[in-house]
């Protein structure tokens, strides 16, 4: 490949540009009017404005993005994460334009994007799924009967949902009745599909995912796990590898199951199989993310591999660079998502970064889309940076993180750094004893 258009912004756009530069590949950035002064715009070989600040008028403008790609004769489009990264229609349009889409096949994105269809697919492949419905539920009577059968509490979910949107915990029948119609309407508004389904709610659970990679020659490998259990409103806040919870025996079973799941859809490029794990280490398929994950640096730190480079190589038609037996993991890595947000009310805190200074710490990696003097606008996700810490032991990685966040200097806006310090000082977290309820229990 000689030239790649990056259909994204901020931190992930810079991340892709970095690898492309190392590979001698030119980059084309797209940006909204609100992002014209962002570092990723200046770092690309060329950059083009695609519209007004709102995503619907800029970063979701499929035809405009593809027109730019064609006019610049790019070889491929990298969608990053979010925006159009899991949009099967966009992936198909890119292919039809004679441009390589850096990701899986459009049919795979579509298949895994519908949670009901993905459940059905995994059931056929003998991959364990959470007890629940594998068909869309049409009536409240049907929902109540199923919930009674599998037992409350249950999760009511939108089939097209993602990012925690369209998920409601129902403790009893009254709560289910109250939420049913509003969840269907919310699903239609956000995802264009009102289908909902029910799953058994797994209490005291962990959220653990496995990074997988496939090529066009039938090779599929795993790149170990990431524990993403520290969440707020179903949104990941902290991710680490290896998981401090999993036993080696269950870990191996989870890797084998993840590869089985990827093979079931003939997966190519980077993807993630997400599992929910109960307190007895029984694990169930949750969903598949058909893209590069926000937290991919965690895997890069423990393996020493460049996942964006692998994406480009596979999309170019090459085989996976390594076989499973040639891949190893060492040490511990942990990532914190640093947001521009009020640490008490957890609301976005946009504004100018009058000070943005990162401490120099051994084993620390900062992937940021901003520099000092930049502005976090209200139009997009308020992620300022991903701060990743690596060491030979988990304890030392946590020590490095604590020292880093005590000395980071950010002024002009509020951030969730105080939340990180509270997490790092918590004895249960230090011992690796936490579930997806950790933040609710430790406010």
């Amino acid at each position: 490949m000689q030239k790649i258009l990056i259909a994204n912004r901020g931190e992930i756009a810079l991340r892709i540009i970095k690898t492309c530069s190392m590979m001698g590949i030119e980059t084309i950035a797209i940006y909204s009017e609100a992002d014209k002064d962002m570092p990723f715009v200046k770092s690309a070989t060329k950059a083009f404005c695609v519209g007004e600040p709102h995503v619907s008028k800029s970063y979701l403008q499929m035809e405009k993005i593809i027109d730019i790609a064609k006019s610049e004769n790019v070889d491929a489009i990298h969608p990053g994460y979010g925006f159009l990264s899991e949009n099967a229609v966009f992936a198909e349009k890119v292919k039809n334009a004679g441009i390589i889409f850096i990701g899986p096949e459009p049919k795979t994105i579509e298949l895994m994007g519908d949670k009901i269809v993905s459940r059905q697919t995994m059931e056929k492949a003998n991959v364990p799924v959470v007890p629940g419905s594998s068909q869309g539920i049409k009536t409240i009577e049907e929902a109540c009967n199923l919930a009674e059968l599998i037992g409350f509490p249950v999760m009511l979910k939108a089939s097209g949902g993602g990012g925690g949107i369209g998920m409601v915990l129902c403790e009893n029948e009254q709560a289910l009745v109250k939420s049913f119609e509003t969840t269907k309407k919310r699903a239609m508004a956000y995802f264009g599909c009102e289908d909902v389904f029910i799953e058994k709610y797994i209490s005291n659970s962990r959220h653990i995912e496995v990074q997988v990679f496939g090529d066009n020659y039938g090779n599929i490998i795993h790149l170990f796990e990431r524990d993403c259990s520290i969440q707020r409103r179903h949104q990941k806040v902290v991710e680490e590898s290896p998981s401090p919870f999993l036993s080696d025996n269950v870990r191996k079973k989870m890797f084998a199951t993840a590869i089985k799941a990827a093979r079931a859809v003939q997966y190519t490029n980077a993807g993630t199989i997400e599992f929910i794990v109960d307190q007895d280490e029984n694990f169930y398929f949750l969903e598949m993310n058909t893209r590069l994950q926000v937290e991919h640096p965690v895997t890069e730190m423990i393996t020493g591999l460049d996942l964006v480079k692998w994406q480009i190589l596979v999309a170019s038609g090459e085989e996976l660079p390594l076989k499973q037996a040639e891949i190893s993991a060492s040490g511990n890595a942990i990532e914190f998502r640093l947001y521009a947000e009020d640490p008490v009310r957890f609301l976005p805190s946009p504004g100018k970064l009058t000070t943005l200074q990162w401490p120099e710490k051994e084993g620390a990696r900062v992937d940021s889309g901003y520099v000092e003097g930049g502005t976090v606008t209200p139009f997009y996700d308020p992620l300022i940076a991903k701060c990743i810490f690596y060491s030979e032991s988990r304890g030392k990685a946590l020590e490095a993180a604590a020292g880093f966040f005590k000395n980071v200097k950010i002024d002009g806006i509020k951030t969730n750094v105080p939340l990180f310090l509270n997490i790092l000082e918590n004895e249960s977290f230090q011992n690796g004893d936490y579930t997806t309820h950790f933040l609710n229990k430790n406010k």
Side-chain angles (χ1 to χ4, degrees):
M1 289 190 190
Q2 303 299 314
K3 192 184 293 186
I4 292 174
L5 183 145
I6 302 163
N8 219 296
R9 66 177 296 279
E11 170 272 322
I12 188 58
L14 275 176
R15 168 69 190 87
I16 297 164
I17 289 169
K18 179 181 178 181
T19 288
C20 287
S21 297
M22 289 191 299
M23 297 176 72
I25 299 172
E26 293 184 25
T27 50
I28 305 298
I30 60 166
Y31 63 95
S32 72
E33 292 171 359
D35 281 344
K36 62 183 176 63
D37 296 321
M38 291 281 283
F40 78 94
V41 176
K42 301 171 185 176
S43 299
T45 309
K46 292 176 74 174
F48 295 86
C49 182
V50 284
E52 298 172 31
H54 196 279
V55 291
S56 65
K57 296 182 178 180
S58 53
Y59 295 106
L60 299 183
Q61 288 287 319
M62 298 186 199
E63 301 297 342
K64 189 176 289 188
I65 292 168
I66 292 171
D67 284 346
I68 293 170
K70 289 195 291 189
S71 69
E72 287 298 308
N73 295 311
V74 305
D75 300 295
I77 292 178
H78 196 308
Y81 52 73
F83 293 144
L84 297 169
S85 63
E86 292 181 285
N87 189 306
V89 173
F90 179 65
E92 189 68 47
K93 284 179 179 289
V94 171
K95 282 190 68 175
N96 291 341
I99 301 169
I100 296 168
F101 178 80
I102 300 179
E105 289 295 312
K107 62 182 180 182
T108 305
I109 297 174
E110 183 177 16
L111 187 69
M112 292 293 99
D114 186 310
K115 287 183 168 55
I116 293 175
V117 176
S118 65
R119 273 182 63 92
Q120 294 169 346
T121 304
M122 292 305 146
E123 285 176 332
K124 289 177 184 176
N126 292 317
V127 170
V129 298
V130 180
S133 55
S134 294
Q135 302 288 338
I137 296 175
K138 303 298 182 186
T139 67
I140 185 59
E141 290 78 18
E142 185 183 353
C144 291
N145 288 338
L146 179 61
E148 194 67 36
L149 184 65
I150 63 177
F152 285 98
V154 298
M155 291 295 291
L156 178 63
K157 294 184 175 184
S159 182
I165 299 171
M167 295 172 57
V168 182
L169 171 61
C170 301
E171 296 279 2
N172 49 45
E173 185 173 307
Q174 183 180 4
L176 180 57
V177 171
K178 182 180 178 181
S179 301
F180 188 74
E181 288 300 331
T182 55
T183 302
K184 285 170 70 74
K185 290 177 182 177
R186 188 173 172 84
M188 176 58 77
Y190 276 88
F191 312 112
C193 174
E194 69 169 11
D195 288 351
V196 295
F197 66 106
I198 282 176
E199 284 183 343
K200 175 68 177 173
Y201 176 69
I202 309 294
S203 60
N204 297 317
S205 62
R206 271 83 173 176
H207 185 157
I208 299 175
E209 62 191 25
V210 177
Q211 177 72 58
V212 294
F213 234 107
D215 62 22
N216 297 304
Y217 305 93
N219 300 306
I220 295 178
I221 54 93
H222 73 79
L223 293 170
F224 310 100
E225 88 278 12
R226 296 182 292 254
D227 195 319
C228 307
S229 302
I230 302 293
Q231 302 180 5
R232 189 183 66 253
R233 303 182 191 130
H234 307 293
Q235 292 276 10
K236 300 167 187 173
V237 177
V238 179
E239 304 100 351
E240 66 174 306
S241 187
S243 168
F245 169 70
L246 283 185
S247 63
D248 288 342
N249 184 46
V250 172
R251 181 176 280 110
K252 289 175 183 176
K253 289 180 181 178
M254 187 177 283
F255 295 160
T257 302
I259 289 177
K260 183 194 289 187
R263 287 199 185 283
V265 293
Q266 299 176 309
Y267 198 79
T268 56
N269 219 277
T272 306
I273 310 295
E274 305 210 359
F275 296 101
I276 190 164
V277 188
D278 70 18
Q279 55 194 357
D280 297 318
E281 290 192 278
N282 298 304
F283 60 88
Y284 307 93
F285 172 83
L286 196 60
E287 64 179 350
M288 183 176 198
N289 287 311
T290 53
R291 54 170 167 80
L292 190 70
Q293 291 279 79
V294 176
E295 59 270 21
H296 76 273
V298 171
T299 297
E300 292 184 328
M301 297 295 273
I302 63 166
T303 61
L305 303 174
D306 184 332
L307 299 197
V308 174
K309 182 179 180 179
W310 274 41
Q311 284 192 293
I312 294 170
L313 293 175
V314 167
S316 300
E318 295 189 26
E319 287 192 57
L320 289 173
L322 297 172
K323 304 293 185 186
Q324 188 71 69
E326 299 173 306
I327 302 166
S328 61
S330 63
N332 288 252
I334 184 163
E335 173 180 294
F336 295 78
R337 300 190 189 188
L338 199 160
Y339 286 105
E341 68 176 20
D342 186 313
V344 177
R345 296 186 298 159
F346 299 122
L347 295 174
S349 175
K352 185 175 181 179
L353 292 157
T354 54
T355 305
L356 183 61
Q357 296 175 13
W358 308 111
E360 288 192 14
K361 288 283 183 181
E362 185 178 352
R365 166 179 166 178
V366 178
D367 286 13
S368 178
Y370 295 89
V371 293
E372 190 170 270
T375 299
V376 180
T377 71
F379 303 109
Y380 316 111
D381 185 274
L383 179 72
I384 298 173
K386 301 180 314 196
C387 303
I388 309 101
F389 306 92
Y390 174 82
S391 187
E392 66 269 22
S393 73
R394 184 174 185 268
K396 288 185 177 180
L398 297 185
E399 283 179 21
F404 181 94
F405 289 122
K406 285 175 183 175
N407 290 286
V408 68
K409 292 186 172 75
I410 304 175
D411 293 319
I413 60 170
K414 296 178 180 179
T415 75
N416 58 344
V417 167
L419 173 66
F420 298 157
L421 291 172
N422 287 338
I423 292 171
L424 288 162
E425 291 169 1
N426 185 281
E427 187 175 348
S428 293
F429 179 77
Q430 291 172 0
N431 295 332
D433 180 19
Y434 60 86
T435 70
T436 54
H437 300 297
F438 177 85
L439 290 182
N440 288 333
K441 292 180 178 178
N442 296 277
K443 292 181 179 179

